[in-house]
């Protein structure tokens, strides 16, 4: 089963891949990305390896002003945390989604959470219906 994680950030605060790898590697695992192409520009695979093992994590993104962004805002009223989601969307302008299966989902969650924290944005674990806004 695929696990999906969302990162809400301001595009001008998006951390570099080397910053993400450095921050995550401080926890005792060696995170590496194939290059420093920004996360939202990576196509379908983020090019992640942890402790030298390649991890299959796909990525997609949506920016404010797009029809998908408008649909997200409109659907917020159907969520228990809708007010928080609208606050997050008001204070950010990009949502990056990481998706992975099995063990790779652990690393996708860590990359998502770490990126959101570094950018002072928000992290959402779709499976657990958990939305954390680091920007207050």
């Amino acid at each position: 089963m695929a696990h999906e994680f969302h990162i809400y950030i301001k595009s001008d605060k998006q951390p570099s891949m080397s910053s993400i790898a450095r921050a995550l590697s401080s926890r005792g695992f060696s995170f590496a990305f194939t290059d420093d192409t920004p996360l939202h520009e990576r196509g379908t695979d983020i090019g992640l390896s942890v402790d030298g093992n390649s991890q299959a994590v796909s990525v997609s993104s949506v920016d404010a002003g797009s029809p998908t962004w408008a649909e997200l805002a409109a659907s917020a009223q159907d969520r228990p945390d809708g007010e928080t989601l609208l606050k997050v969307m008001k204070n950010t302008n990009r949502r990056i989604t990481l998706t992975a299966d099995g063990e790779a989902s652990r690393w996708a969650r860590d990359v998502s959470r770490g990126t959101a924290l570094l950018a002072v944005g928000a992290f959402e674990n779709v499976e657990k219906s958990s939305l954390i806004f680091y920007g207050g």
Side-chain angles (χ1 to χ4, degrees), residues 5 24 27 29-31 33 46 48-51 53-57 98 100-114:
F5 307 97
L24 294 173
R27 299 178 39 227
F29 296 97
S30 177
F31 282 76
F33 297 94
I46 67 171
L48 171 66
S49 66
V50 180
D51 289 341
N53 299 308
S54 182
Q55 303 296 321
V57 178
L98 299 185
D101 290 318
E103 183 68 18
S105 66
R106 170 185 180 187
W107 309 118
R109 182 188 64 232
D110 286 355
V111 170
S112 299
R113 217 174 19 209

Side-chain angles (χ1 to χ4, degrees), residues 8 26-27 40 42 44 47 52 56 59 74 84 86 108 130 136:
Y8 291 89
S26 70
R27 299 178 39 227
H40 72 287
R42 289 190 163 256
T44 58
V59 61
T84 302
L86 289 174
S130 170

Side-chain angles (χ1 to χ4, degrees), residues 88-109:
V88 165
M89 293 180 77
K90 178 182 176 200
N91 289 289
T92 62
N93 64 356
R94 176 172 293 145
R95 182 181 85 173
I96 301 170
T97 300
L98 299 185
T99 307
D101 290 318
E103 183 68 18
S105 66
R106 170 185 180 187
W107 309 118
R109 182 188 64 232

